Amino acid sequence: MKKHGILNSHICKVLSDLGHTDYIVVADAGLPVPEGVTKIDLALKVGVPSFQDVVDVIAADMVIEKVTLAEEIKQENEQALQYITRTFAGEKLENPQVTSLHLNLEQAAVIEFCSHEQFKELTRHAKAVIRTGEAKPYANCILQAGVYF
């Protein structure tokens, strides 16, 4: 039995199989999962587990070079946008006015935006969609794998 890190065997398998530029999606409870894409459903009830809890655990175990968000998050979910920016922006932040004392520079990644419709289209090529219990709008992100060397 694993002692540390992610205990969910499905998530461990997906992360272990990722290659450079492959990606996964961490989704709120309402994001549709395309036919043929693996769905790992963690949702227990509204809000549990949260988007932030799931992203935190995955980010601790995955090399992430790019995060993609729906453009609509800027108007509809400032809290999730600030969390993603604080967690991933570091030195590669496209908007240098956004700063935080909580940046994890080891995890710095490019943050890109697209329309929600484009976002849903991109999910068709994900290795997996991890569904959370999050019930706030646009609490979804695409995490693209980088390399550790």
Side-chain angles (χ1 to χ4, degrees):
M1 177 172 201
K2 277 189 73 169
K3 186 174 175 181
H4 300 286
I6 296 172
L7 299 179
N8 183 290
S9 62
H10 302 291
I11 295 173
C12 286
K13 171 80 170 117
V14 167
L15 293 182
S16 295
D17 288 344
L18 290 176
H20 185 219
T21 74
D22 286 341
Y23 57 87
I24 62 171
V25 177
V26 178
D28 61 30
L31 188 75
V33 178
E35 186 99 18
V37 175
T38 300
K39 177 171 80 172
I40 301 171
D41 196 342
L42 303 179
L44 297 173
K45 66 179 188 174
V46 173
V48 178
S50 72
F51 172 72
Q52 184 172 332
D53 286 343
V54 174
V55 172
D56 280 347
V57 171
I58 291 171
D61 206 32
M62 178 181 172
V63 177
I64 300 167
E65 70 178 14
K66 182 168 74 173
V67 179
T68 304
L69 304 168
E71 187 75 34
E72 291 85 346
I73 197 172
K74 294 176 181 177
Q75 285 76 42
E76 302 294 331
N77 196 338
E78 181 67 27
Q79 180 183 9
L81 177 61
Q82 287 178 359
Y83 160 71
I84 291 292
T85 301
R86 185 174 61 244
T87 303
F88 294 105
E91 297 167 353
K92 298 181 183 180
L93 183 62
E94 292 176 1
N95 179 359
Q97 285 83 23
V98 180
T99 60
S100 172
L101 298 175
H102 300 89
L103 292 175
N104 178 354
L105 296 180
E106 182 181 317
Q107 194 67 282
V110 173
I111 299 174
E112 292 186 347
F113 297 88
C114 62
S115 73
H116 189 57
E117 288 307 311
Q118 290 171 317
F119 185 96
K120 289 190 287 188
E121 192 60 37
L122 288 170
T123 65
R124 295 183 181 283
H125 305 288
K127 296 297 181 182
V129 173
I130 301 170
R131 182 175 177 253
T132 70
E134 192 63 63
K136 295 178 185 146
Y138 304 103
N140 307 296
C141 65
I142 294 172
L143 303 175
Q144 181 176 301
V147 292
Y148 61 87
F149 54 89

Short mmCIF file of all heavy atoms in Angstrom, two decimals, residues 79-141:
data_model
loop_
_atom_site.label_atom_id
_atom_site.label_comp_id
_atom_site.label_asym_id
_atom_site.label_seq_id
_atom_site.Cartn_x
_atom_site.Cartn_y
_atom_site.Cartn_z
N GLN A 79 -12.01 33.84 -7.80
CA GLN A 79 -11.32 33.06 -6.77
C GLN A 79 -10.49 31.93 -7.40
O GLN A 79 -9.33 31.74 -7.05
CB GLN A 79 -12.34 32.48 -5.78
CG GLN A 79 -11.72 31.66 -4.68
CD GLN A 79 -12.77 31.05 -3.76
OE1 GLN A 79 -13.98 31.10 -4.01
NE2 GLN A 79 -12.32 30.47 -2.67
N ALA A 80 -11.07 31.19 -8.34
CA ALA A 80 -10.33 30.11 -9.00
C ALA A 80 -9.20 30.67 -9.85
O ALA A 80 -8.10 30.09 -9.88
CB ALA A 80 -11.27 29.27 -9.85
N LEU A 81 -9.43 31.79 -10.51
CA LEU A 81 -8.38 32.42 -11.32
C LEU A 81 -7.20 32.84 -10.45
O LEU A 81 -6.05 32.58 -10.78
CB LEU A 81 -8.93 33.62 -12.08
CG LEU A 81 -7.91 34.41 -12.90
CD1 LEU A 81 -7.28 33.54 -13.97
CD2 LEU A 81 -8.59 35.63 -13.53
N GLN A 82 -7.48 33.46 -9.33
CA GLN A 82 -6.40 33.87 -8.42
C GLN A 82 -5.64 32.66 -7.89
O GLN A 82 -4.41 32.68 -7.78
CB GLN A 82 -6.97 34.70 -7.26
CG GLN A 82 -7.39 36.08 -7.67
CD GLN A 82 -7.99 36.86 -6.53
OE1 GLN A 82 -8.11 36.38 -5.41
NE2 GLN A 82 -8.39 38.09 -6.80
N TYR A 83 -6.36 31.60 -7.56
CA TYR A 83 -5.72 30.38 -7.08
C TYR A 83 -4.77 29.82 -8.14
O TYR A 83 -3.61 29.50 -7.85
CB TYR A 83 -6.77 29.34 -6.67
CG TYR A 83 -6.20 27.95 -6.63
CD1 TYR A 83 -5.31 27.58 -5.62
CD2 TYR A 83 -6.49 27.03 -7.63
CE1 TYR A 83 -4.73 26.32 -5.61
CE2 TYR A 83 -5.94 25.78 -7.62
CZ TYR A 83 -5.05 25.42 -6.61
OH TYR A 83 -4.47 24.18 -6.61
N ILE A 84 -5.23 29.68 -9.38
CA ILE A 84 -4.39 29.14 -10.45
C ILE A 84 -3.18 30.04 -10.68
O ILE A 84 -2.05 29.57 -10.81
CB ILE A 84 -5.20 28.95 -11.75
CG1 ILE A 84 -6.22 27.83 -11.59
CG2 ILE A 84 -4.29 28.71 -12.95
CD1 ILE A 84 -5.64 26.43 -11.45
N THR A 85 -3.40 31.33 -10.72
CA THR A 85 -2.30 32.28 -10.92
C THR A 85 -1.27 32.16 -9.80
O THR A 85 -0.07 32.08 -10.05
CB THR A 85 -2.85 33.71 -11.00
OG1 THR A 85 -3.79 33.79 -12.08
CG2 THR A 85 -1.74 34.71 -11.24
N ARG A 86 -1.75 32.12 -8.58
CA ARG A 86 -0.87 32.02 -7.42
C ARG A 86 -0.09 30.70 -7.43
O ARG A 86 1.09 30.65 -7.10
CB ARG A 86 -1.72 32.14 -6.15
CG ARG A 86 -0.97 32.18 -4.86
CD ARG A 86 -1.89 32.44 -3.67
NE ARG A 86 -2.89 31.40 -3.51
CZ ARG A 86 -4.21 31.58 -3.62
NH1 ARG A 86 -4.71 32.76 -3.90
NH2 ARG A 86 -5.04 30.58 -3.44
N THR A 87 -0.73 29.65 -7.85
CA THR A 87 -0.12 28.32 -7.82
C THR A 87 0.86 28.08 -8.95
O THR A 87 1.91 27.47 -8.73
CB THR A 87 -1.23 27.24 -7.86
OG1 THR A 87 -2.12 27.45 -6.76
CG2 THR A 87 -0.64 25.84 -7.76
N PHE A 88 0.57 28.59 -10.14
CA PHE A 88 1.35 28.20 -11.31
C PHE A 88 2.13 29.31 -12.01
O PHE A 88 3.02 29.00 -12.80
CB PHE A 88 0.44 27.54 -12.36
CG PHE A 88 -0.12 26.24 -11.90
CD1 PHE A 88 -1.43 26.14 -11.51
CD2 PHE A 88 0.68 25.11 -11.84
CE1 PHE A 88 -1.96 24.93 -11.08
CE2 PHE A 88 0.17 23.90 -11.40
CZ PHE A 88 -1.15 23.81 -11.03
N ALA A 89 1.82 30.56 -11.79
CA ALA A 89 2.37 31.62 -12.64
C ALA A 89 3.88 31.77 -12.54
O ALA A 89 4.58 31.71 -13.52
CB ALA A 89 1.69 32.94 -12.34
N GLY A 90 4.39 32.01 -11.34
CA GLY A 90 5.83 32.20 -11.19
C GLY A 90 6.40 33.21 -12.16
O GLY A 90 5.78 34.20 -12.47
N GLU A 91 7.56 32.93 -12.68
CA GLU A 91 8.26 33.86 -13.57
C GLU A 91 7.68 33.86 -14.98
O GLU A 91 7.98 34.74 -15.76
CB GLU A 91 9.74 33.49 -13.62
CG GLU A 91 10.41 33.62 -12.28
CD GLU A 91 11.78 32.98 -12.24
OE1 GLU A 91 12.16 32.31 -13.22
OE2 GLU A 91 12.46 33.14 -11.22
N LYS A 92 6.86 32.88 -15.33
CA LYS A 92 6.35 32.78 -16.69
C LYS A 92 4.99 33.47 -16.86
O LYS A 92 4.34 33.33 -17.88
CB LYS A 92 6.22 31.31 -17.11
CG LYS A 92 7.54 30.59 -17.12
CD LYS A 92 7.34 29.16 -17.56
CE LYS A 92 8.64 28.39 -17.51
NZ LYS A 92 8.46 27.01 -17.92
N LEU A 93 4.56 34.22 -15.87
CA LEU A 93 3.25 34.86 -15.90
C LEU A 93 3.12 35.77 -17.11
O LEU A 93 3.96 36.63 -17.35
CB LEU A 93 3.03 35.65 -14.61
CG LEU A 93 1.69 36.33 -14.42
CD1 LEU A 93 0.59 35.27 -14.39
CD2 LEU A 93 1.68 37.10 -13.12
N GLU A 94 2.06 35.59 -17.89
CA GLU A 94 1.82 36.44 -19.05
C GLU A 94 1.38 37.83 -18.65
O GLU A 94 1.53 38.79 -19.40
CB GLU A 94 0.76 35.80 -19.96
CG GLU A 94 1.24 34.53 -20.62
CD GLU A 94 0.16 33.85 -21.44
OE1 GLU A 94 -0.96 34.38 -21.53
OE2 GLU A 94 0.46 32.79 -22.01
N ASN A 95 0.82 38.01 -17.47
CA ASN A 95 0.38 39.30 -16.98
C ASN A 95 1.22 39.66 -15.76
O ASN A 95 0.91 39.25 -14.65
CB ASN A 95 -1.11 39.25 -16.61
CG ASN A 95 -1.62 40.57 -16.06
OD1 ASN A 95 -0.87 41.54 -15.94
ND2 ASN A 95 -2.89 40.60 -15.72
N PRO A 96 2.29 40.45 -15.92
CA PRO A 96 3.20 40.70 -14.81
C PRO A 96 2.60 41.52 -13.66
O PRO A 96 3.20 41.62 -12.61
CB PRO A 96 4.36 41.46 -15.47
CG PRO A 96 3.82 41.98 -16.75
CD PRO A 96 2.70 41.07 -17.15
N GLN A 97 1.40 42.09 -13.84
CA GLN A 97 0.79 42.84 -12.75
C GLN A 97 0.25 41.92 -11.64
O GLN A 97 0.03 42.35 -10.53
CB GLN A 97 -0.36 43.72 -13.25
CG GLN A 97 0.11 44.96 -13.98
CD GLN A 97 0.44 44.70 -15.43
OE1 GLN A 97 -0.05 43.75 -16.03
NE2 GLN A 97 1.29 45.52 -16.01
N VAL A 98 -0.01 40.67 -11.96
CA VAL A 98 -0.54 39.72 -10.97
C VAL A 98 0.63 39.09 -10.22
O VAL A 98 1.50 38.48 -10.82
CB VAL A 98 -1.39 38.62 -11.65
CG1 VAL A 98 -1.94 37.65 -10.61
CG2 VAL A 98 -2.52 39.24 -12.45
N THR A 99 0.66 39.27 -8.92
CA THR A 99 1.74 38.71 -8.11
C THR A 99 1.15 38.07 -6.86
O THR A 99 0.02 38.31 -6.50
CB THR A 99 2.76 39.79 -7.69
OG1 THR A 99 2.06 40.79 -6.93
CG2 THR A 99 3.43 40.43 -8.89
N SER A 100 1.97 37.29 -6.20
CA SER A 100 1.54 36.65 -4.97
C SER A 100 2.74 36.23 -4.15
O SER A 100 3.79 35.92 -4.70
CB SER A 100 0.70 35.41 -5.29
OG SER A 100 0.44 34.69 -4.11
N LEU A 101 2.59 36.22 -2.87
CA LEU A 101 3.65 35.75 -1.99
C LEU A 101 3.68 34.24 -1.92
O LEU A 101 4.61 33.67 -1.38
CB LEU A 101 3.45 36.32 -0.58
CG LEU A 101 3.50 37.83 -0.47
CD1 LEU A 101 3.15 38.26 0.95
CD2 LEU A 101 4.87 38.36 -0.87
N HIS A 102 2.66 33.58 -2.47
CA HIS A 102 2.54 32.12 -2.36
C HIS A 102 2.97 31.39 -3.63
O HIS A 102 2.63 30.24 -3.82
CB HIS A 102 1.09 31.76 -2.03
CG HIS A 102 0.63 32.34 -0.76
ND1 HIS A 102 0.05 33.59 -0.69
CD2 HIS A 102 0.67 31.88 0.50
CE1 HIS A 102 -0.25 33.87 0.57
NE2 HIS A 102 0.11 32.85 1.30
N LEU A 103 3.72 32.05 -4.50
CA LEU A 103 4.12 31.39 -5.74
C LEU A 103 5.04 30.22 -5.47
O LEU A 103 5.95 30.30 -4.65
CB LEU A 103 4.84 32.38 -6.66
CG LEU A 103 3.98 33.49 -7.24
CD1 LEU A 103 4.86 34.45 -8.02
CD2 LEU A 103 2.89 32.94 -8.12
N ASN A 104 4.82 29.15 -6.17
CA ASN A 104 5.68 27.98 -6.10
C ASN A 104 6.50 27.98 -7.38
O ASN A 104 6.07 27.47 -8.40
CB ASN A 104 4.82 26.72 -5.99
CG ASN A 104 5.65 25.46 -5.96
OD1 ASN A 104 6.87 25.49 -6.12
ND2 ASN A 104 5.00 24.34 -5.76
N LEU A 105 7.69 28.57 -7.34
CA LEU A 105 8.48 28.75 -8.56
C LEU A 105 8.92 27.44 -9.16
O LEU A 105 9.16 27.35 -10.35
CB LEU A 105 9.67 29.66 -8.28
CG LEU A 105 9.29 31.09 -7.88
CD1 LEU A 105 10.54 31.92 -7.64
CD2 LEU A 105 8.42 31.75 -8.92
N GLU A 106 9.00 26.38 -8.37
CA GLU A 106 9.33 25.07 -8.91
C GLU A 106 8.23 24.60 -9.86
O GLU A 106 8.45 23.84 -10.77
CB GLU A 106 9.49 24.07 -7.76
CG GLU A 106 9.88 22.69 -8.20
CD GLU A 106 10.00 21.75 -7.01
OE1 GLU A 106 10.57 22.17 -5.98
OE2 GLU A 106 9.52 20.62 -7.12
N GLN A 107 7.02 25.08 -9.66
CA GLN A 107 5.87 24.65 -10.43
C GLN A 107 5.45 25.69 -11.47
O GLN A 107 4.36 25.64 -11.98
CB GLN A 107 4.71 24.39 -9.45
CG GLN A 107 3.54 23.63 -10.01
CD GLN A 107 3.88 22.21 -10.36
OE1 GLN A 107 4.49 21.93 -11.37
NE2 GLN A 107 3.48 21.30 -9.52
N ALA A 108 6.31 26.68 -11.77
CA ALA A 108 5.94 27.73 -12.71
C ALA A 108 5.52 27.14 -14.05
O ALA A 108 6.15 26.23 -14.57
CB ALA A 108 7.11 28.69 -12.90
N ALA A 109 4.44 27.69 -14.60
CA ALA A 109 3.89 27.20 -15.86
C ALA A 109 3.29 28.38 -16.62
O ALA A 109 2.88 29.37 -16.03
CB ALA A 109 2.81 26.15 -15.61
N VAL A 110 3.22 28.26 -17.92
CA VAL A 110 2.53 29.23 -18.75
C VAL A 110 1.03 29.06 -18.50
O VAL A 110 0.53 27.94 -18.40
CB VAL A 110 2.85 28.99 -20.24
CG1 VAL A 110 2.00 29.89 -21.13
CG2 VAL A 110 4.33 29.21 -20.51
N ILE A 111 0.32 30.18 -18.40
CA ILE A 111 -1.13 30.14 -18.24
C ILE A 111 -1.74 30.73 -19.50
O ILE A 111 -1.43 31.85 -19.88
CB ILE A 111 -1.59 30.92 -16.99
CG1 ILE A 111 -0.98 30.30 -15.73
CG2 ILE A 111 -3.11 30.94 -16.91
CD1 ILE A 111 -1.25 31.07 -14.46
N GLU A 112 -2.58 29.93 -20.16
CA GLU A 112 -3.24 30.36 -21.40
C GLU A 112 -4.75 30.34 -21.22
O GLU A 112 -5.27 29.62 -20.36
CB GLU A 112 -2.87 29.44 -22.56
CG GLU A 112 -1.42 29.53 -22.97
CD GLU A 112 -1.11 28.71 -24.20
OE1 GLU A 112 -1.93 27.86 -24.63
OE2 GLU A 112 -0.02 28.91 -24.74
N PHE A 113 -5.42 31.11 -22.05
CA PHE A 113 -6.88 31.20 -22.01
C PHE A 113 -7.45 30.91 -23.39
O PHE A 113 -6.83 31.21 -24.40
CB PHE A 113 -7.32 32.60 -21.56
CG PHE A 113 -6.87 32.94 -20.17
CD1 PHE A 113 -5.64 33.53 -19.93
CD2 PHE A 113 -7.69 32.66 -19.09
CE1 PHE A 113 -5.23 33.83 -18.64
CE2 PHE A 113 -7.29 32.96 -17.80
CZ PHE A 113 -6.05 33.54 -17.58
N CYS A 114 -8.65 30.34 -23.40
CA CYS A 114 -9.40 30.11 -24.63
C CYS A 114 -10.87 30.22 -24.27
O CYS A 114 -11.23 30.27 -23.09
CB CYS A 114 -9.08 28.74 -25.22
SG CYS A 114 -9.51 27.34 -24.17
N SER A 115 -11.75 30.25 -25.24
CA SER A 115 -13.18 30.29 -24.94
C SER A 115 -13.59 28.97 -24.29
O SER A 115 -12.92 27.95 -24.45
CB SER A 115 -13.99 30.52 -26.22
OG SER A 115 -14.00 29.34 -27.00
N HIS A 116 -14.71 29.01 -23.57
CA HIS A 116 -15.20 27.79 -22.92
C HIS A 116 -15.53 26.72 -23.97
O HIS A 116 -15.30 25.53 -23.74
CB HIS A 116 -16.41 28.10 -22.05
CG HIS A 116 -16.84 26.96 -21.19
ND1 HIS A 116 -16.01 26.35 -20.28
CD2 HIS A 116 -18.03 26.30 -21.10
CE1 HIS A 116 -16.66 25.37 -19.67
NE2 HIS A 116 -17.89 25.33 -20.16
N GLU A 117 -16.03 27.14 -25.11
CA GLU A 117 -16.33 26.17 -26.18
C GLU A 117 -15.04 25.53 -26.69
O GLU A 117 -15.00 24.31 -26.91
CB GLU A 117 -17.10 26.84 -27.32
CG GLU A 117 -18.54 27.16 -26.96
CD GLU A 117 -19.32 25.96 -26.44
OE1 GLU A 117 -19.28 24.88 -27.07
OE2 GLU A 117 -19.98 26.09 -25.38
N GLN A 118 -13.99 26.32 -26.87
CA GLN A 118 -12.69 25.75 -27.28
C GLN A 118 -12.15 24.83 -26.19
O GLN A 118 -11.57 23.78 -26.49
CB GLN A 118 -11.69 26.87 -27.56
CG GLN A 118 -11.98 27.67 -28.79
CD GLN A 118 -11.09 28.90 -28.90
OE1 GLN A 118 -10.86 29.60 -27.92
NE2 GLN A 118 -10.59 29.15 -30.10
N PHE A 119 -12.33 25.23 -24.93
CA PHE A 119 -11.88 24.41 -23.81
C PHE A 119 -12.52 23.03 -23.88
O PHE A 119 -11.85 22.01 -23.78
CB PHE A 119 -12.22 25.12 -22.48
CG PHE A 119 -11.69 24.41 -21.27
CD1 PHE A 119 -10.48 24.80 -20.71
CD2 PHE A 119 -12.38 23.36 -20.68
CE1 PHE A 119 -9.97 24.14 -19.59
CE2 PHE A 119 -11.89 22.70 -19.57
CZ PHE A 119 -10.68 23.10 -19.03
N LYS A 120 -13.85 23.01 -24.06
CA LYS A 120 -14.56 21.73 -24.13
C LYS A 120 -14.07 20.90 -25.32
O LYS A 120 -13.97 19.68 -25.22
CB LYS A 120 -16.07 21.95 -24.19
CG LYS A 120 -16.64 22.45 -22.87
CD LYS A 120 -18.15 22.44 -22.84
CE LYS A 120 -18.73 23.53 -23.68
NZ LYS A 120 -20.20 23.67 -23.51
N GLU A 121 -13.74 21.54 -26.42
CA GLU A 121 -13.20 20.83 -27.58
C GLU A 121 -11.84 20.21 -27.24
O GLU A 121 -11.56 19.07 -27.62
CB GLU A 121 -13.08 21.78 -28.77
CG GLU A 121 -12.82 21.11 -30.08
CD GLU A 121 -13.89 20.11 -30.51
OE1 GLU A 121 -15.09 20.33 -30.27
OE2 GLU A 121 -13.49 19.07 -31.09
N LEU A 122 -11.00 20.94 -26.51
CA LEU A 122 -9.68 20.42 -26.11
C LEU A 122 -9.80 19.19 -25.20
O LEU A 122 -8.94 18.32 -25.22
CB LEU A 122 -8.87 21.50 -25.40
CG LEU A 122 -8.34 22.63 -26.28
CD1 LEU A 122 -7.76 23.75 -25.42
CD2 LEU A 122 -7.31 22.11 -27.27
N THR A 123 -10.87 19.11 -24.42
CA THR A 123 -11.02 17.97 -23.51
C THR A 123 -11.14 16.65 -24.27
O THR A 123 -10.87 15.59 -23.70
CB THR A 123 -12.23 18.13 -22.56
OG1 THR A 123 -13.44 18.14 -23.31
CG2 THR A 123 -12.13 19.41 -21.72
N ARG A 124 -11.49 16.71 -25.53
CA ARG A 124 -11.61 15.49 -26.35
C ARG A 124 -10.27 14.76 -26.50
O ARG A 124 -10.24 13.58 -26.80
CB ARG A 124 -12.15 15.82 -27.74
CG ARG A 124 -13.55 16.35 -27.74
CD ARG A 124 -14.06 16.60 -29.16
NE ARG A 124 -15.40 17.11 -29.14
CZ ARG A 124 -16.50 16.40 -28.92
NH1 ARG A 124 -16.39 15.11 -28.67
NH2 ARG A 124 -17.67 16.95 -28.92
N HIS A 125 -9.16 15.49 -26.31
CA HIS A 125 -7.83 14.92 -26.49
C HIS A 125 -7.11 14.66 -25.16
O HIS A 125 -5.95 14.28 -25.16
CB HIS A 125 -7.00 15.83 -27.38
CG HIS A 125 -7.66 16.12 -28.70
ND1 HIS A 125 -7.77 15.18 -29.70
CD2 HIS A 125 -8.30 17.22 -29.14
CE1 HIS A 125 -8.44 15.70 -30.72
NE2 HIS A 125 -8.77 16.94 -30.40
N ALA A 126 -7.81 14.86 -24.06
CA ALA A 126 -7.21 14.66 -22.74
C ALA A 126 -7.01 13.17 -22.47
O ALA A 126 -7.77 12.33 -22.95
CB ALA A 126 -8.10 15.25 -21.65
N LYS A 127 -5.99 12.85 -21.70
CA LYS A 127 -5.76 11.47 -21.29
C LYS A 127 -6.80 11.06 -20.25
O LYS A 127 -7.14 9.89 -20.13
CB LYS A 127 -4.35 11.30 -20.72
CG LYS A 127 -3.26 11.56 -21.74
CD LYS A 127 -3.32 10.56 -22.87
CE LYS A 127 -2.22 10.82 -23.87
NZ LYS A 127 -2.26 9.91 -25.00
N ALA A 128 -7.31 12.05 -19.49
CA ALA A 128 -8.35 11.78 -18.50
C ALA A 128 -8.97 13.10 -18.06
O ALA A 128 -8.33 14.15 -18.11
CB ALA A 128 -7.79 11.06 -17.28
N VAL A 129 -10.23 13.01 -17.63
CA VAL A 129 -10.91 14.13 -16.98
C VAL A 129 -11.16 13.69 -15.55
O VAL A 129 -11.78 12.64 -15.31
CB VAL A 129 -12.24 14.49 -17.68
CG1 VAL A 129 -13.00 15.55 -16.88
CG2 VAL A 129 -11.98 14.96 -19.10
N ILE A 130 -10.66 14.47 -14.61
CA ILE A 130 -10.85 14.18 -13.19
C ILE A 130 -11.96 15.10 -12.70
O ILE A 130 -11.80 16.32 -12.65
CB ILE A 130 -9.55 14.38 -12.40
CG1 ILE A 130 -8.46 13.47 -12.96
CG2 ILE A 130 -9.80 14.13 -10.91
CD1 ILE A 130 -7.07 13.76 -12.42
N ARG A 131 -13.09 14.52 -12.35
CA ARG A 131 -14.27 15.27 -11.94
C ARG A 131 -14.26 15.48 -10.43
O ARG A 131 -14.16 14.53 -9.66
CB ARG A 131 -15.53 14.51 -12.34
CG ARG A 131 -16.82 15.22 -12.00
CD ARG A 131 -18.00 14.41 -12.56
NE ARG A 131 -19.25 15.02 -12.20
CZ ARG A 131 -20.09 14.52 -11.30
NH1 ARG A 131 -19.81 13.39 -10.68
NH2 ARG A 131 -21.21 15.13 -11.02
N THR A 132 -14.34 16.75 -10.04
CA THR A 132 -14.40 17.10 -8.63
C THR A 132 -15.85 17.35 -8.23
O THR A 132 -16.75 17.28 -9.07
CB THR A 132 -13.57 18.38 -8.35
OG1 THR A 132 -14.23 19.51 -8.94
CG2 THR A 132 -12.16 18.26 -8.90
N GLY A 133 -16.07 17.70 -7.00
CA GLY A 133 -17.40 18.08 -6.54
C GLY A 133 -17.64 19.58 -6.62
O GLY A 133 -18.67 20.06 -6.16
N GLU A 134 -16.71 20.30 -7.22
CA GLU A 134 -16.79 21.77 -7.29
C GLU A 134 -18.06 22.21 -7.99
O GLU A 134 -18.43 21.67 -9.03
CB GLU A 134 -15.58 22.32 -8.03
CG GLU A 134 -15.42 23.81 -7.92
CD GLU A 134 -15.19 24.27 -6.50
OE1 GLU A 134 -14.16 23.90 -5.90
OE2 GLU A 134 -16.04 25.00 -5.97
N ALA A 135 -18.72 23.23 -7.41
CA ALA A 135 -19.97 23.73 -7.98
C ALA A 135 -19.90 25.22 -8.27
O ALA A 135 -20.91 25.91 -8.24
CB ALA A 135 -21.12 23.41 -7.03
N LYS A 136 -18.71 25.73 -8.54
CA LYS A 136 -18.54 27.13 -8.93
C LYS A 136 -18.23 27.16 -10.43
O LYS A 136 -17.54 26.28 -10.94
CB LYS A 136 -17.42 27.77 -8.13
CG LYS A 136 -17.76 27.86 -6.65
CD LYS A 136 -16.63 28.45 -5.85
CE LYS A 136 -16.99 28.40 -4.38
NZ LYS A 136 -15.83 28.17 -3.54
N PRO A 137 -18.72 28.19 -11.14
CA PRO A 137 -18.57 28.21 -12.60
C PRO A 137 -17.11 28.28 -13.06
O PRO A 137 -16.28 28.94 -12.44
CB PRO A 137 -19.33 29.46 -13.03
CG PRO A 137 -19.41 30.31 -11.81
CD PRO A 137 -19.40 29.38 -10.64
N TYR A 138 -16.84 27.57 -14.14
CA TYR A 138 -15.54 27.58 -14.83
C TYR A 138 -14.37 27.15 -13.95
O TYR A 138 -13.23 27.54 -14.19
CB TYR A 138 -15.28 28.95 -15.46
CG TYR A 138 -16.40 29.34 -16.39
CD1 TYR A 138 -17.36 30.27 -16.01
CD2 TYR A 138 -16.53 28.73 -17.63
CE1 TYR A 138 -18.41 30.60 -16.85
CE2 TYR A 138 -17.57 29.06 -18.49
CZ TYR A 138 -18.51 29.99 -18.08
OH TYR A 138 -19.56 30.31 -18.92
N ALA A 139 -14.62 26.33 -12.95
CA ALA A 139 -13.55 25.78 -12.11
C ALA A 139 -13.02 24.53 -12.81
O ALA A 139 -13.24 23.40 -12.37
CB ALA A 139 -14.06 25.47 -10.71
N ASN A 140 -12.38 24.77 -13.94
CA ASN A 140 -11.84 23.71 -14.79
C ASN A 140 -10.47 24.15 -15.27
O ASN A 140 -10.26 25.33 -15.54
CB ASN A 140 -12.71 23.50 -16.03
CG ASN A 140 -14.16 23.28 -15.71
OD1 ASN A 140 -14.52 22.30 -15.08
ND2 ASN A 140 -15.01 24.19 -16.15
N CYS A 141 -9.55 23.21 -15.42
CA CYS A 141 -8.26 23.55 -16.00
C CYS A 141 -7.70 22.35 -16.74
O CYS A 141 -7.99 21.20 -16.41
CB CYS A 141 -7.27 24.04 -14.95
SG CYS A 141 -6.77 22.82 -13.73
#
